[in-house]
Amino acid sequence: MIHVTNVSYDYNADGSNPIRALTDVSLSLQSGELVALLGHNGSGKSTLAKLLAAVMFPTHGHISIGGTPVTEQTALEIRRKVGLVFQRPDDQLIANRVIDDIAFGPENLGLPRDVIQQRVDHAIATMELESIRTSQISSLSGGERQRVAIAGVLAMEPACFILDEPTTMIAPVLARSLLRTAHTLRDRLGVSIIHITHFMHEVTDFDRIVVMDGGRVLMDGTPKEIFGRSDELSAVGLDVPLVTKVGRILRSRDLSIAEPILTAQELCTAILPLCTNVPSTASAHPLPSGPRVPSGTPFIDVRNASFSYMKDTPLESTGIQDVTCHIHRGQIIALLGGTQAGKSTLIECLNGLRKIHSGQILVDGTDIHSKGYDIGALRDRIGIVFQQPETQLFEETVGKDVSFSPRRKKLSPDQSKALVENSLRAVGLDYQTFRLRYVYALSGGQKRRVAIAGILAGEPEVLILDEPVAGLDPRGRAELATLVKRLARELHLTVMIVGNTIDELAELADRAIVMHNGAVLLEGTISDLLAQADTLHAIGLELSEAAEIARVLKQHIPSFPTTVLDLEDLCETIGRYCAQAKE
Amino acid sequence: MSLEFSRTVTFGQYINVDSVVHRLDARIKMLAVACVMFCTFMTRGFVSILPILVIAVMIQITTKIPIGYTVRGYRLLLRTMLFFIPFQILFYRAPAGMVVEPYWQWWILSLSWQGIIAGLYTLTRVIVLYHTINMLMFTTTMIDLSDGAEIMFEPLKKLRIPVNELVMTMTVALKFVPLLITELERLIRAQTARGVRFDQGGVIERTKKIVPVLIPLFVNALNRAEVLIVAMNARCYHGGDGRTKLRTMQIIGRDIFALSIILLLASSAAYIGRTYGV
């Protein structure tokens, strides 16, 4: 249905300095195919998507869709056939209400009213938006907005959907539901779907995977074929799903497992017959418990704190409810929860950015809302790196932005310089190289580092990082995770890491607090939490890939422990369960 | 200081409760508001403005919007007015033929009972005008307003004014308002967390503090606008030509009924004002 023949694309093609984004790409896609387009930032996958949706046109080569060549003259016809879903739903929602936004596309097509009505109703039914059909879009959650965005494209009845990295910016639980939707649309409506993503584990059940690198198609095949070539993938810095790695490791330990394994379910089927050494009781191998709550006065002591948004208006909604928790000096705390759990609200209450409506917050034993308390000084002590802090940079150059706090405190130039230098070094950026760089010319990951350095330069006693790796590609995530781990260990600060996944960052924590619907649900060490994997799964808190695999295995092997932290741990445990097969 | 602007700035906010006023046709509401505004300008004093006040109270009650929420939105307006009204009272000049006995007089300044009444009357007028528009915004979605405007200004197309495009531009601009407010709150929170005190310092100092907030706000807004253009193109938007509409607007009995009541009251206010000048 889609034929791409020798297509190249240059940004700024007319200018003196064209930048090549695609080189000689050829590709054919059948109707009804569920295709994943994988690659790093800059691999050309988004450019290809825009060419297919006729919002840009090839510099060289030829694209045809359903027999129609893609040119500026046929653009309208092509856009009708190819629907584009953007990364952030806010970017593509146009009207104020759900129903009006879904009608926007069909209205542009000039369809008669009853046809529009029919299509809108159909899209609403397919995307399960009945209950919010007349709601204001600004009042919807992120997941709902995403569904509205898809419904809006659906109502145009395209033959092909292109999902342009829709899972990068959203919580894992929403990403999963989005992928289920993609499958449903393909199965029920027979449309083809091109899903662009960085994440391997999302696409193991797709029909086909196209891997792009440096503007070219690197591989094209079924998931089994692609993930079987893990060496070639890692050569371009791409990874295979963790479960595939588990399969390989177990195989290298002489367990007869066919390669490649793509899902936890497959792994389960493969190892079940080999499990000869299943202990009858539950986990005989608990992880060593981390340090318990230290005694003494907590540094930050939150007592029955509650906060509501838009209080006393018809639009009131709960932020946090009756939260009690303690943070002791020098600890690393993980604050975990799904979407709308109240995590961000809680951290904004901690330094008085939001004033709690009832309860108390004590810092070093003093109520921060008591009369005469110096809240400005408190904010210097509690440094918060907000979500996507790179969008909050405001100075021209890196040096200026990082030195903002020292300058505000009127420190001497020498002191200020030393602070900036140390802060930049702490985030892995060289002072001399980056001091005069323009902020807007940095990459996303670098900007985020600069933002963190800006907070460090304020010499906080507590460093709070709100979802520090969210919205980055896997390479950026890995780099930033390494950085955060190093900061947490080396700076001897009290650190709080906020997240929606029990990932390698959460695992650093001495203690974790799990929030749900604005209240504290669980508290304990990470292994305490992992033991209750099913509860966490139910409230939309994502487990690490290893723990998630363990959770699936546990459904078939009831005694299998879910308290595994990483790949190593998981392979070790499976190895023990299959001990006899080894001999 | 409050970091929740959306909580204190109520103007332009649509309040999603179900009431008769919410269900009235947007064109009727716009006509009624225009009529009330026009007639308010025709009133001359507290007697003639009385029917207008009756309308204002009637609307407030029938919309089912909590009175506290409405009143909270008037704080800023009242504060501004309290600054200006004393000037009006002090500079009051009686109309020709009216005898005024001021309590106090100096140069062109004076303080008289009539002056105070005139000041209060001006305040009432301003509040009524603000209230009427506010009620329209509280009870009518943007899409209803823009659809209504599109139909009402349809005749202007003959003058080659691109009504559809203008209305679309307005719709998109208004879509950005809540997004930008959220963004502004987010940026101010981030700055506050870095130690900036927006509630301290003089006017110049405060203005200086706002600049670092505006830069990322504009940069982010421009980026968003660029993506939105692509998104609108991808959804086949190509101007108003050949565009159809899902929504219909139909004027029914209750619309006519509501408009008649308002017309009757408002015109009586104008009549009293014109004829008796009170």
Side-chain angles (χ1 to χ4, degrees), chain A residues 93 101 108 111 113 394, chain B residues 175 191 235 243-244 248:
Chain A
L93 298 175
D101 192 84
N108 289 334
L111 298 169
R113 179 170 295 130
F394 51 85
Chain B
K175 167 204 133 93
Q191 294 271 321
R235 287 173 77 182
R243 207 167 179 264
T244 48
T248 49

Side-chain angles (χ1 to χ4, degrees), chain A residues 293 298 300-302 324-328 331 333 511 513 523:
Chain A
V293 186
I300 301 176
D301 183 357
V302 181
T324 298
C325 62
H326 315 290
I327 297 162
H328 287 265
Q331 279 203 316
I333 307 278
R511 215 155 50 81
I513 300 167
E523 233 186 307

